[in-house]
């Protein structure tokens, strides 16, 4: 039997009026201190064992301290006037006490606590019986922790030097050296930071290692918050451990810093969490820089860099979610409930002015409204983005071990994370329906119903939009020529560079082959002699036949050698751009026949190879319009389908993740060739992206009936 069941069985039902006869009493451990910020005086108070922070005006603080458990509301009203000079009626005093009671401010004896707990548990069970899952809430698991005050006292006695000026100077120097390492090795560190948080290709050991390193870093982070609170005179009585969507997260209650510390001391308490991680990162960076690659120390230091580096700063100091950056911002600007207030203001404004619901918009000064709207929108989008990343994280981990079904883990995590938001959306839709139901029914007169029916039928029957198919593409030049050496030789000169525009027949390079050129010269001399002998024989009418055959043989040999020597001058066969790099490095080298010297491509018009499965081909034809969006460019470019391959092709590697077709018959892909003008020269060979090809116009009704027609046509033939 647990405590709740014991209370239900053992405690009698005490009449409510008996509780009301008891008068409030301030807690004996209540601590309060007066502050002056921005010209405003207020008192911050805390009950250490509870951790709740209260803020009073000086006069409210005087009135609260008049309650001793014996004074009636009339007596407190009379004493309040004597101490503050302001008259408070007994009803106002009672209302003030009631508001503080709702905040769990007053001291209660053990019996009073048990009675209050019994009623509270009964109400909570009644309110949440339908919502609570029988499996519990695995999205947020909190482990009870010990009172860390003594632990932090011992640690602070040994580490209080970290708050001295000389240690701050040393820390800044170490961070400067860390920044130097980051700048000089950014290509490696930046790439590995992104890869480190991608769990799709990590083993179970890597995930376990990441979990425990994160556990260690977060413990240091939260301990730093606690030590700062101790340094400024506060106490820390709560420190624990959460699993938020199975991700480790510590928490430390430093509420007393808001009582004992000044504004900028509270800012320092907030900053010290990330500051401690940057100290770890600086130390790890120096160890990584000095240690030998391949050693365990080198590897461990590098992993600490990736965990505590820039990713933590951007995430933890981002003010759009309620982490250190948010509390730092709210403390500086003096708006402790910025996220709640801005979200309530924007949501109420949208409900009232867009959805026309009877909602009261909370008052916000004009100078804050733009900031509230901007913060609420940015914070909402970023929060949903983080939740999406968490769901993807779970999916990546599961896919690592179960490629076929890992996506289910991501979907389940997403539903778990967004379930409260889905419930909120459903409640809003229900409220909107109930509010507009009568108005909508009144608007739908018989005439309007007929008009809506006609418009609906027209929408379903009239071909309004184009059919379209979508698929990955690979860009290639519309025309490309490879210039190869037809004869061997030494490269004597190169006339073109990479990126140079060439006309058709423009020289690219010149070769030198002394043997070939000598043979060509000798062949020319032999041919001339044979021609002279043939002419002489013809005049003398003696031996003309053999002389003529010899002349023809030497003429053919001369023609062949002349043709070969003409290939020593390499020219571009098309108009285009040289795409081969470092052409001039060939000067002085000897190349064999058939060696590729340069490539020339006509980039004024590109062609995209679009891969489509066979069942999509019926929707398109030659001459239809296409829209292409490259992965590396903003905006889309237009093109035209110029041909459709008559046979299936093997898809280019990397364009489609074929693992999603695992276990079923993989479709055959046909290639569409799309001509894409490139007048600006922004498209290059090898670019990939997604293309949409638009077919003929079809009505929405025909599209809805198409699966039924295909099913019947395929089964009833």
């Amino acid at each position: 039997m647990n405590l709740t069941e014991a209370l239900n069985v053992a405690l009698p039902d005490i009449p409510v009026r008996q509780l009301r006869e008891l008068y409030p009493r301030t807690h004996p451990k209540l601590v309060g201190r007066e502050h002056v910020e921005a010209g405003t005086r207020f008192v911050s108070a805390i009950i250490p064992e509870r951790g709740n922070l209260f803020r009073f005006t000086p006069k409210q603080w005087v009135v609260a301290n008049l309650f001793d458990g014996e004074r009636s509301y009339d007596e407190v009203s009379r004493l309040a006037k004597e101490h503050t000079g302001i008259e408070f009626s007994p009803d106002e005093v009672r209302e003030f006490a009631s508001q503080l009671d709702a905040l769990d401010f007053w001291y209660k004896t053990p019996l009073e606590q048990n009675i209050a707990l019994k009623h509270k548990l009964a109400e909570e069970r009644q309110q949440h019986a339908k919502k609570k899952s029988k499996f519990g809430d695995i999205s947020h698991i909190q482990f009870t922790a010990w009172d860390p005050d003594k632990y932090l006292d011992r640690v602070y006695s040994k580490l209080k030097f970290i708050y001295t000026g000389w240690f701050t100077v040393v820390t800044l120097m170490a961070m400067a050296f860390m920044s130097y390492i980051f700048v000089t090795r950014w290509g490696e560190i930046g790439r590995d930071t992104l890869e480190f948080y991608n769990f799709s290709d990590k083993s179970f050991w890597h995930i376990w290692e990441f979990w425990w390193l994160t556990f260690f870093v977060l413990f240091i982070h939260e301990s730093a918050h606690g030590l700062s609170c101790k340094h400024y005179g506060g106490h820390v009585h709560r420190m624990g451990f959460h699993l938020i969507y199975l991700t480790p997260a510590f928490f430390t209650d430093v509420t007393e810093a808001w009582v004992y510390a000044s504004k900028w001391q509270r800012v320092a308490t907030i900053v010290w969490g990330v500051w401690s991680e940057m100290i770890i990162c600086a130390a790890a960076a120096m160890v990584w820089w000095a240690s030998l690659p391949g050693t365990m120390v080198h590897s461990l230091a590098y992993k600490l860099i990736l965990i505590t580096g820039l990713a933590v700063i951007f995430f933890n100091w981002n003010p759009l979610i309620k982490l250190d950056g948010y509390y730092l911002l709210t403390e500086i600007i003096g708006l402790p409930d910025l996220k709640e207030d801005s979200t309530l203001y924007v949501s109420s404004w949208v409900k009232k002015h867009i959805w026309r619901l009877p909602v009261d918009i909370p008052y916000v000064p004009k100078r804050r409204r733009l900031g509230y709207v901007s913060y609420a929108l940015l914070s909402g989008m970023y929060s949903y983005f983080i939740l999406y990343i968490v769901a993807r994280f779970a999916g990546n981990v599961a896919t690592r071990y179960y490629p076929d079904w890992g996506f289910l883990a991501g979907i389940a995590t997403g539903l778990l994370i967004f379930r409260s938001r889905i419930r909120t959306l459903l409640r809003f839709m229900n409220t909107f329906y109930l509010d507009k139901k009568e108005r909508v029914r009144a608007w739908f007169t018989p005439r309007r119903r007929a008009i809506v029916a006609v418009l609906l039928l027209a929408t379903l029957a009239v071909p309004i939009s184009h059919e379209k198919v979508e698929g990955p593409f690979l860009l290639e030049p519309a025309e490309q020529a490879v210039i190869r050496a037809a004869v061997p030789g030494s490269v004597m000169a190169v006339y073109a560079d990479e990126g140079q525009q060439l006309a058709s027949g423009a020289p690219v390079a010149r070769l030198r082959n002394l043997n070939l050129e000598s043979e060509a010269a000798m062949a020319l001399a032999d041919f001339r002699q044979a021609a002279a002998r043939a002419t002489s024989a013809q005049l003398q009418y003696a031996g003309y036949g053999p002389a003529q055959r010899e002349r023809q043989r030497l003429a053919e040999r001369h023609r062949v050698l002349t043709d070969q020597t003409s290939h020593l001058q390499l020219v571009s066969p098309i108009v285009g751009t040289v795409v081969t790099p470092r052409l001039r490095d060939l000067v002085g080298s000897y190349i064999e026949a058939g060696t590729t010297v340069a490539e020339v491509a006509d980039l004024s018009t590109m062609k995209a190879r679009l891969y489509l499965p066979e069942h999509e081909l019926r929707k398109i034809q030659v001459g239809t319009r296409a829209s292409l969006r490259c992965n590396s460019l903003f905006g889309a470019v237009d093109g035209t389908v110029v041909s459709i391959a008559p046979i299936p092709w093997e898809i280019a590697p990397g364009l489609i993740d074929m693992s999603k077709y695992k276990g079923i018959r993989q479709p055959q892909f046909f290639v569409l060739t799309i001509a894409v003008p490139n007048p600006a020269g922004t498209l290059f060979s090898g670019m990939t992206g997604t293309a949409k090809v638009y077919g003929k116009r079809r009505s929405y009704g025909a599209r809805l009936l198409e699966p039924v027609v295909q099913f019947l046509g395929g089964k009833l033939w």
Side-chain angles (χ1 to χ4, degrees):
M1 181 180 293
N2 58 30
L3 177 60
T4 304
E5 295 171 338
L7 289 175
N8 286 330
V9 173
L11 291 177
D13 290 331
I14 300 177
V16 176
R17 66 173 181 271
Q18 182 177 352
L19 291 178
R20 290 179 179 173
E21 293 175 356
L22 300 177
Y23 297 115
R25 173 187 173 188
T26 56
H27 200 286
K29 295 183 180 180
L30 178 67
V31 177
R33 179 167 294 183
E34 185 173 314
H35 297 267
V36 179
E37 294 182 6
T40 303
R41 296 174 61 209
F42 61 91
V43 177
S44 293
I46 188 173
I47 302 172
E49 63 184 26
R50 297 181 186 175
N52 296 334
L53 179 67
F54 304 93
R55 180 170 289 187
F56 301 91
T57 64
K59 291 183 174 57
Q60 289 175 338
W61 176 247
V62 171
V63 175
N65 280 279
L66 293 175
F67 288 93
D68 60 357
E70 297 180 1
R71 294 190 180 108
S72 66
Y73 298 112
D74 292 334
E75 293 174 332
V76 172
S77 174
R78 185 174 61 257
L79 291 174
K81 183 177 180 180
E82 295 177 1
H83 287 79
T84 64
I86 300 176
E87 183 173 355
F88 295 93
S89 68
D91 290 337
E92 291 175 336
V93 172
R94 184 187 295 271
E95 179 65 22
F96 176 66
S98 176
Q99 293 175 356
L100 291 180
D101 184 57
L103 298 175
D104 195 23
F105 176 78
W106 303 116
Y107 174 74
K108 293 182 177 65
T109 65
L111 177 59
E112 292 171 342
Q113 291 178 2
N114 290 338
I115 295 172
L117 178 61
K118 177 181 183 296
H119 288 283
K120 181 179 180 181
L121 292 174
E123 293 175 358
E124 289 182 350
R125 284 198 306 273
Q126 187 175 10
Q127 293 175 0
H128 301 292
K130 296 182 179 181
K131 295 194 300 181
K132 190 172 181 62
S133 170
K134 64 180 180 180
F135 299 106
D137 186 1
I138 65 171
S139 65
H140 187 186
I141 304 173
Q142 179 173 328
F143 295 93
T144 303
W146 85 112
D147 187 336
D149 202 55
K150 293 182 179 179
Y151 151 74
L152 291 173
D153 280 335
R154 292 194 299 269
V155 174
Y156 179 74
S157 64
K158 300 181 182 301
L159 296 182
K160 60 183 178 181
F161 66 87
I162 63 177
Y163 298 98
T164 60
W166 68 265
F167 184 81
T168 302
V169 173
V170 172
T171 301
L172 292 175
M173 293 173 61
M175 291 183 182
F177 184 72
M178 176 193 69
S179 302
Y180 165 76
I181 295 176
F182 270 57
V183 171
T184 56
R185 306 289 291 273
W186 175 246
E188 180 181 357
I189 295 175
R191 180 191 68 247
D192 291 343
T193 298
L194 296 176
E195 185 65 25
F196 187 73
Y197 291 93
N198 178 15
F199 285 79
S200 58
D201 297 323
K202 284 184 168 56
S203 65
F204 176 79
W205 165 251
H206 289 123
I207 297 173
W208 181 257
E209 182 185 44
F210 169 82
W211 202 91
W212 278 105
L213 285 175
T214 305
F215 188 99
F216 166 75
V217 170
L218 289 177
F219 180 77
I220 299 297
H221 178 109
E222 296 301 327
S223 295
H225 286 311
L227 288 174
S228 299
C229 182
K230 300 289 291 183
H231 179 69
Y232 296 119
H235 296 272
V236 180
H237 294 285
R238 294 178 65 245
M239 186 174 181
F241 173 69
H242 294 267
L243 279 179
I244 302 177
Y245 302 109
L246 303 182
T247 302
F250 281 92
F251 70 90
T252 301
D253 186 357
V254 293
T255 312
E256 290 198 22
W258 270 253
V259 176
Y260 294 100
S262 65
K263 177 178 181 178
W264 293 108
Q265 289 173 342
R266 297 195 296 268
V267 169
T269 302
I270 297 171
V271 169
W272 252 100
V274 172
W275 191 260
S276 65
E277 292 194 44
M278 297 310 298
I279 293 175
I280 295 174
C281 186
M286 287 187 286
V287 172
W288 178 64
W289 175 76
S291 59
L292 294 176
T295 61
M296 185 179 67
V297 173
H298 185 84
S299 176
L300 179 62
Y302 191 54
K303 291 172 183 176
L304 285 175
I305 291 173
L306 299 180
I307 290 178
T308 59
L310 297 179
V312 171
I313 295 179
F314 293 145
F315 182 75
N316 216 311
W317 272 359
N318 190 326
L320 298 179
I321 53 177
K322 298 189 75 171
L323 293 176
D324 290 347
Y326 170 81
Y327 295 109
L328 181 63
L329 173 65
T330 56
E331 184 62 34
I332 293 175
I333 65 177
L335 298 174
D337 299 321
L338 174 62
K339 186 173 180 65
E340 292 80 0
D341 293 346
S342 62
T343 302
L344 178 61
Y345 173 75
V346 172
S347 61
S348 301
W349 190 94
V350 171
K351 290 177 182 178
K352 184 176 182 64
H353 294 287
I354 296 182
W355 300 111
R356 302 295 181 182
L357 293 175
V359 176
D360 293 330
I361 302 176
Y363 174 75
V364 175
K366 289 185 178 181
R367 60 188 179 87
R368 292 184 185 175
R369 292 175 185 175
L370 180 60
Y372 268 37
V373 172
S374 302
Y375 183 84
L377 296 177
L378 292 175
S379 176
M381 291 187 293
Y382 184 76
S383 298
Y384 281 106
F385 173 73
I386 292 298
L387 295 178
Y388 168 75
I389 292 298
V390 172
R392 283 292 303 270
F393 169 81
N396 287 343
V397 174
T399 304
R400 174 66 177 81
Y401 300 99
Y402 305 100
D404 295 334
W405 301 102
F407 70 95
L408 293 177
I411 295 175
T413 305
L415 292 176
L416 179 67
I417 292 174
F418 291 102
R419 63 178 180 175
S420 63
R421 289 146 182 91
I422 295 174
R423 289 171 180 165
T424 302
L425 176 62
L426 293 177
R427 287 196 297 268
F428 168 75
M429 293 174 63
N430 182 58
T431 303
F432 182 77
Y433 168 74
L434 294 176
D435 183 74
K436 307 299 181 186
K437 178 175 63 175
E438 299 300 331
R439 190 180 305 175
V440 172
R441 287 179 179 177
W443 187 87
F444 271 101
T445 61
R447 179 181 179 183
R448 287 173 176 170
R449 290 179 183 176
I451 294 174
V452 171
V454 171
L455 292 176
L456 181 61
L457 290 175
T459 302
L460 294 175
V462 176
I464 299 175
S465 62
H466 290 276
E467 273 192 315
K468 61 183 178 182
V469 295
E470 186 174 327
F473 70 84
L474 178 67
L475 275 182
E476 297 175 344
E479 189 176 7
Q480 190 168 4
V482 179
I483 302 173
R484 293 185 174 90
V487 295
S490 299
V491 180
M492 301 303 296
V494 173
Y495 304 112
D497 294 304
E498 180 184 9
Q500 183 176 338
Q501 297 287 333
L502 297 178
S504 179
V508 176
R510 179 170 59 85
L511 305 182
R512 184 72 182 271
N513 189 325
L514 294 177
N515 292 333
L516 179 61
E517 292 174 307
S518 298
E519 289 182 11
M522 291 180 61
L524 176 61
D526 292 343
F527 168 71
R528 288 175 177 174
Q529 291 180 2
R533 286 194 295 270
T535 302
S536 176
Q538 185 179 12
L539 293 175
Q540 296 177 2
Y541 299 101
Y544 176 71
Q548 180 64 14
R549 288 193 295 274
E550 179 67 11
R551 185 181 67 172
Q552 292 176 350
R553 184 183 69 81
L554 292 175
E556 179 64 20
R557 181 169 181 269
H558 170 63
R559 186 189 65 77
V560 170
L561 291 174
T562 301
D563 182 67
Q564 291 180 352
T565 55
S566 67
H567 286 94
L568 293 174
Q569 184 81 358
L570 304 181
V571 299
S572 173
I574 63 172
V575 177
T577 304
V578 178
V579 296
T580 304
R582 299 186 301 275
L583 269 180
R584 297 191 182 274
D585 292 350
L586 294 175
V587 176
S589 61
Y590 181 83
I591 57 177
E592 298 289 345
T595 302
T596 299
V597 176
E599 293 186 23
V600 179
D602 182 7
L603 301 180
S604 61
T605 302
M606 306 294 289
K607 65 178 180 180
R609 283 195 287 137
L610 174 63
Y611 295 84
L612 290 180
E614 54 185 314
H615 64 272
E616 299 278 14
L617 291 178
R618 58 182 177 75
K619 300 180 182 179
I620 57 172
Q621 57 188 355
V622 175
T624 55
R625 184 176 68 88
S627 178
L628 297 89
R629 183 180 295 275
C630 295
N631 295 329
S632 56
L633 296 176
F634 292 101
V637 293
D638 293 330
T640 305
V641 177
V642 295
S643 67
I644 302 175
I647 59 174
W649 280 44
E650 182 178 353
I651 195 166
L655 282 184
I656 293 181
D657 181 13
M658 300 301 293
S659 63
K660 62 183 180 181
Y661 299 108
K662 187 177 180 180
I664 61 176
R665 184 178 68 87
Q666 296 185 1
Q668 298 186 96
F669 289 88
F670 289 76
V671 172
L672 276 69
T673 303
I674 303 173
V676 185
N678 187 28
T682 57
L683 304 178
F684 299 94
S685 178
M687 284 185 170
T688 59
T690 303
K692 294 180 181 179
V693 181
Y694 298 89
K696 60 182 180 180
R697 295 181 183 272
R698 294 189 65 193
S699 66
Y700 290 106
R703 296 184 188 183
L704 293 174
L705 291 175
E706 182 180 13
V708 179
V709 174
Q710 288 181 349
F711 174 78
L712 295 177
K715 299 299 181 182
L716 304 177
W717 58 281

